[in-house]
Amino acid sequence: MLARYGTGSVAEAAALAAAGPHSALSVTRLVADDGSATLALAVGQGGPLNCCLAHASQAKKQGATA
């Protein structure tokens, strides 16, 4: 994982793989207090998720909830 994705975290590697080529981690990974779960978020270039994230970001700026 470290050589391919540049991280030793399974959650971060999975997020990067799911986001596709040229993706990047969006936030520092979050780990549950008891260590039972880890969250990582990555955004790719030009995929369908980027459209949704851009829409949600715009709505947040305008004070709406997404």
Side-chain angles (χ1 to χ4, degrees):
M1 281 187 310
L2 188 57
R4 184 167 182 172
Y5 297 105
T7 181
S9 163
V10 173
E12 289 177 344
L16 289 167
H22 311 292
S23 60
L25 294 169
S26 298
V27 295
T28 304
R29 76 175 176 261
L30 302 171
V31 181
D33 289 339
D34 65 359
S36 64
T38 304
L39 170 90
L41 177 65
V43 178
Q45 298 291 320
L49 182 57
N50 283 352
C51 174
C52 297
L53 289 174
H55 178 72
S57 176
Q58 184 65 28
K60 184 176 180 181
K61 288 178 185 176
Q62 295 174 354
T65 57

